[in-house]
């Protein structure tokens, strides 16, 4: 979930951050002009030097540190620096943040999910690394023969070695955890490599993430508003998914007139989506998926921004929200777009200008 600090609170730290992240005036006079790769490397180096001052200014704990992951500068000089956090040298999952500054170094806002210092109850694990890896492998093996969220079936799972300690801060109270990798094979022969995070005290699974994505495919869509368009989809086994791995994995789901949940991922047998009419539920999904792709491309091509929040993660879209809902909305909590079907459930709010407006 993305939250922004109150502007007044952030600006009160700007003096500290400005001194820490100020660009040397001498760079502008350098000759010859460095290429883009050199400029980016220089920006990363400056941000690394500024990281300790930024950590102090943002009120992080004494055992916390900021690790620079990326930095970009807009055409007007506005700077965006993405940091990951560590606690006592351990990676903090969910502790990343983005600092936004003016060309003169003044902080305008900070995006981060965790406010204040991260302080787990204990940094001493109750389970060994080997025990944690075994717990993670057992959890994955329990899913053998069961379809996952992409419709794939796992047929085998094997641990790839001991787990590594991390700090989990994505949900609930921050806690010590282990991160393991469990490999396997899916029913269609596709390999599987799942990153599993487990509680370092109980071994309970906190999250899983499949690192191996299946083949991208080009499908055709016929939306209510966008008409006939090409769509980048994902082939999983023999089924196509309305999921675009080339744009941060963004995808579209069917809420089936519910108002809660993530919805059901759209799948199709022939990679031809929608009919252009509201009688086909896929038609609104084509509009939503195309609108998300167009928004991604606009920010990428115009500002060099990798996704809405600049971290390479694609938002997802939910269509067929509620009944007779005459609106559409963006939510930070799910990092997703949601579209109603309008009056009589026959007038979906999936126009491309709605998508661009809400996601901007």
């Amino acid at each position: 979930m993305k939250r922004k600090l109150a502007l007044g609170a952030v600006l009160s730290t700007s003096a500290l951050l400005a001194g820490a992240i100020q660009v040397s005036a001498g760079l502008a006079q350098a000759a010859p002009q460095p290429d883009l790769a050199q400029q980016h490397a220089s920006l990363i180096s400056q941000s690394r030097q500024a990281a300790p001052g930024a950590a102090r200014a943002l009120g992080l704990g004494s055992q916390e540190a900021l690790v620079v992951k990326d930095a970009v500068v807009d055409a007007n000089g506005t700077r965006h620096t993405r940091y990951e956090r560590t606690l006592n040298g351990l990676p903090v999952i969910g502790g990343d943040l983005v600092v936004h500054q003016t060309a003169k170094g003044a902080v305008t806002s900070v995006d981060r999910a965790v406010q204040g210092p991260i302080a787990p109850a204990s940094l001493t694990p109750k389970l060994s690394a080997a025990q944690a890896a075994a717990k993670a492998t057992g959890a994955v093996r329990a899913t053998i023969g069961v379809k996952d969220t992409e419709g794939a079936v796992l047929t085998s799972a094997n641990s790839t070695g001991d787990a590594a300690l991390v700090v989990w801060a994505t949900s609930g109270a921050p806690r010590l955890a282990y991160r393991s990798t469990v490999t396997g094979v899916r029913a269609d022969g596709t390999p599987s490599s799942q990153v599993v995070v487990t509680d370092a005290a109980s071994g309970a699974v906190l999250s899983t993430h499949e690192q191996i994505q299946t083949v991208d495919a080009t499908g055709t869509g016929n939306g209510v508003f966008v008409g006939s368009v090409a769509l980048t989809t994902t082939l999983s086994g023999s089924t196509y998914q309305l999921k675009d791995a080339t744009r941060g994995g963004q995808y579209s789901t069917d809420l089936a007139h519910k108002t809660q949940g993530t919805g059901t991922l759209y799948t199709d047998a022939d990679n031809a989506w929608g009919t252009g009419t509201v009688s086909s539920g896929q038609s609104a999904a084509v509009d939503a998926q195309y609108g998300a792709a167009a928004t991604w491309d606009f920010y990428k091509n115009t500002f060099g921004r990798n996704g809405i929040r600049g971290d390479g993660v694609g938002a997802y879209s939910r269509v067929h929200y509620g009944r007779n809902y005459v609106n559409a909305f963006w939510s930070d909590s799910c990092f997703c777009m949601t579209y109603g079907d309008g009056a009589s459930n026959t007038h979906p709010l999936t126009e491309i200008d709605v998508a661009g407006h809400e996601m901007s």
Side-chain angles (χ1 to χ4, degrees), residues 100-172:
H100 306 280
Q101 299 167 270
T102 66
K104 295 183 178 180
V107 176
T108 57
S109 64
V110 180
D111 301 339
R112 55 177 170 178
V114 180
Q115 304 295 320
I118 294 174
S122 173
L123 287 178
T124 302
K126 292 184 178 180
L127 299 177
S128 68
Q131 289 173 324
K135 290 274 190 183
T137 303
V140 174
R141 282 179 179 158
T143 67
I144 288 177
V146 179
K147 285 186 177 182
D148 62 17
T149 55
E150 295 186 352
V153 177
L154 194 69
T155 59
S156 69
N158 303 284
S159 173
T160 58
D162 288 348
L165 283 172
V166 296
V167 174
W168 175 259
T170 298
S171 60

Side-chain angles (χ1 to χ4, degrees), residues 318-332:
R318 307 185 301 177
V319 297
H320 307 307
Y321 173 89
R323 292 187 180 278
N324 306 312
Y325 182 68
V326 190
N327 214 333
F329 61 89
W330 166 266
S331 173
D332 276 350

Side-chain angles (χ1 to χ4, degrees), residues 18 53 89 108 182 193 202 265 289 318 333 335:
T108 57
V182 181
S193 179
S202 66
L265 177 66
Q289 186 74 1
R318 307 185 301 177
S333 63
F335 198 65

Side-chain angles (χ1 to χ4, degrees), residues 1-6 9-10 13 54-61 64 66 82-83 85 94-100 109-118 169 309:
M1 177 177 177
K2 181 175 73 175
R3 301 192 186 113
K4 289 192 175 182
L5 294 178
V10 175
T13 67
R56 291 191 299 271
L58 294 172
L60 273 58
E64 293 186 74
L66 293 177
R82 172 166 293 280
Y83 295 102
R85 293 162 81 165
D96 56 308
L97 53 89
V98 181
V99 176
H100 306 280
S109 64
V110 180
D111 301 339
R112 55 177 170 178
V114 180
Q115 304 295 320
I118 294 174
R309 60 187 177 196

Side-chain angles (χ1 to χ4, degrees), residues 7 107 121 169 213 277 283:
L7 186 58
V107 176
Q213 301 297 321
T277 64
S283 299

